[in-house]
Amino acid sequence: MTQVLIRPAHETDLEAMSAITATSYHEVNERTFQRSWPDPEIRPPARNGKWINRTRHTLTTDPEGCWVAEIDGEVVGGAISRARELMWILASFAVRPECQGQGIGEQLLAAAMHHGRGCLRGMFAASADPVAVRRYRLAGFTLHPQMFLTGVVDRDAIPVVERVRDGSAGDIDLLNSIDRQTRGAAHLSDHEVLLDQFRLIVCERNSGSAYAYVDETGAPNLVAATSRRTATDVMWEALASSTPGETVSVRHITAANEWAVDVGMAARMSLHQSGYLCLRGMQPPSPYLHHGSML
Ligand SMILES: CC(C)(COP(=O)(O)OP(=O)(O)OC[C@H]1O[C@@H](n2cnc3c(N)ncnc32)[C@H](O)[C@@H]1OP(=O)(O)O)[C@@H](O)C(=O)NCCC(=O)NCCS
């Protein structure tokens, strides 16, 4: 019988883990995407670099949350998790397609979950893979279906948004405070990684505050707010930065975040469903759109 070794992940495993997650997620996308969606593409090299930087950060802050599976000295799977203020977060979880279904995922998840044993809450975004979802439900997580919006933003629909500005590292205290009010746990040093990978926009008003991390396509990859009004405004500000005529997608929208669906409808984007937000000990955060791995 093949011997599987489950051991803590090291910096030298990052390239192998990046390749495994890219291949395994791509295989799930190919298996589960709908005919009307564009064909799935494997994670491009530029995004692999970002995945590696995010994961390197988690290896530094949470070495006990990061595990790999090895067969004959070769890494065949991994689970990357972190704890932030009593919230356990699973960032990445994958086993090489040809090694799946042999119980490796179950052992990796158990090792990563042990890191969160003192946490009150748990949170992560799941792919549409029925095998992954089975693992998560068996581990006691509640599955909240996720929607996503995609399309070309109707420029005529974009409202004038006031008092939204670019943010910087000087805003991190404010961001952590918004996180605690919406997600129930701050991102802490994860904000430094996010700031490195995205443009930050911030809205501060007497009636509420919000922030969004926006990518180069104009998609808000993470939105947190203390009011629906300010969440709506930062989402519009992000969409306004999309290139006219080009498709933009806003992912990870739970039913608790209808304000985001409403922005998408007004922008004439189309609504679809994919994957789940898996939670333990908490309700779906709102107003909040989570990042896939930084959550
Ligand atoms: C999710 C993943 C990491 C699990 O790893 P794995 O080594 O295949 O998992 P295991 O072998 O420990 O467990 C597989 C379970 O799914 C079950 N299963 C197999 N095929 C299934 C199917 N089509 N539908 C539902 N369950 C299925 C198995 O019976 C087993 O359950 P059991 O232990 O109760 O019998 C792996 O499948 C993977 O990399 N998937 C693609 C990437 C992905 O989606 N990752 C999750 C991102 S959130």
Side-chain angles (χ1 to χ4, degrees):
M1 211 184 113
T2 322
Q3 281 286 333
V4 181
L5 172 71
I6 307 289
R7 61 155 175 86
H10 306 305
E11 169 113 22
T12 45
D13 300 318
L14 284 171
E15 289 285 346
M17 284 197 291
S18 167
I20 292 166
T21 53
T23 320
S24 309
Y25 296 160
H26 181 60
E27 189 271 328
V28 174
N29 291 341
E30 290 218 297
R31 205 167 3 106
T32 57
F33 84 108
Q34 292 180 12
R35 268 193 217 160
S36 64
W37 299 353
D39 286 355
E41 281 173 16
I42 194 150
R43 190 199 294 142
R47 279 186 42 217
N48 274 339
K50 288 186 173 174
W51 186 92
I52 286 178
N53 285 345
R54 288 198 297 268
T55 309
R56 181 181 291 120
H57 178 71
T58 308
L59 275 182
T60 317
T61 57
D62 296 69
E64 288 165 15
C66 304
W67 296 85
V68 291
E70 205 181 272
I71 296 178
D72 295 335
E74 213 178 316
V75 175
V76 298
I80 303 295
S81 74
R82 66 180 84 90
R84 295 286 176 272
E85 298 189 330
L86 299 185
M87 178 181 286
W88 177 79
I89 294 157
L90 181 65
S92 295
F93 177 43
V95 170
R96 226 193 245 176
E98 64 275 20
C99 301
Q100 291 174 9
Q102 301 169 31
I104 298 175
E106 187 180 3
Q107 292 180 65
L108 281 170
L109 190 59
M113 281 182 67
H114 188 67
H115 181 54
R117 64 197 176 283
C119 291
L120 299 175
R121 292 177 285 273
M123 183 183 198
F124 55 89
S127 68
D129 185 10
V131 179
V133 174
R134 175 176 171 78
R135 281 270 72 89
Y136 300 149
R137 184 60 203 137
L138 289 176
F141 285 83
T142 300
L143 310 171
H144 299 274
Q146 291 171 159
M147 299 173 265
F148 72 94
L149 292 158
T150 189
V152 174
V153 174
D154 178 357
R155 311 304 296 182
D156 293 337
I158 300 174
V160 176
V161 170
E162 282 167 356
R163 299 181 61 192
V164 177
R165 58 170 173 85
D166 278 333
S168 68
D171 291 305
I172 288 182
D173 285 347
L174 170 69
L175 310 184
N176 281 328
S177 147
I178 299 173
D179 288 338
R180 290 187 186 107
Q181 290 176 67
T182 52
R183 186 177 83 145
H187 283 83
L188 307 176
S189 64
D190 297 337
H191 279 301
E192 290 158 26
V193 182
L194 288 159
L195 272 165
D196 205 43
Q197 303 198 349
F198 297 101
R199 179 167 82 96
L200 172 67
I201 54 175
V202 174
C203 175
E204 264 183 293
R205 298 191 192 131
N206 290 339
S207 55
S209 17
Y211 74 84
Y213 283 105
V214 186
D215 71 17
E216 56 293 339
T217 69
N221 279 235
L222 167 53
V223 178
T226 62
S227 72
R228 285 194 296 275
R229 181 73 252 164
T230 50
T232 298
D233 285 357
V234 293
M235 181 162 163
W236 272 120
E237 181 70 21
L239 294 179
S241 71
S242 65
T243 308
E246 297 219 347
T247 297
V248 57
S249 300
V250 182
R251 293 153 52 80
H252 304 144
I253 305 170
T254 57
N257 287 284
E258 244 169 8
W259 60 271
V261 174
D262 291 340
V263 172
M265 295 292 139
R268 306 200 72 81
M269 298 168 80
S270 35
L271 188 67
H272 304 270
Q273 266 181 279
S274 179
Y276 303 84
L277 174 64
C278 303
L279 298 177
R280 195 172 62 180
M282 62 188 284
Q283 294 300 315
S286 167
Y288 199 86
L289 304 183
H290 52 277
H291 181 274
S293 62
M294 306 302 271
L295 274 306

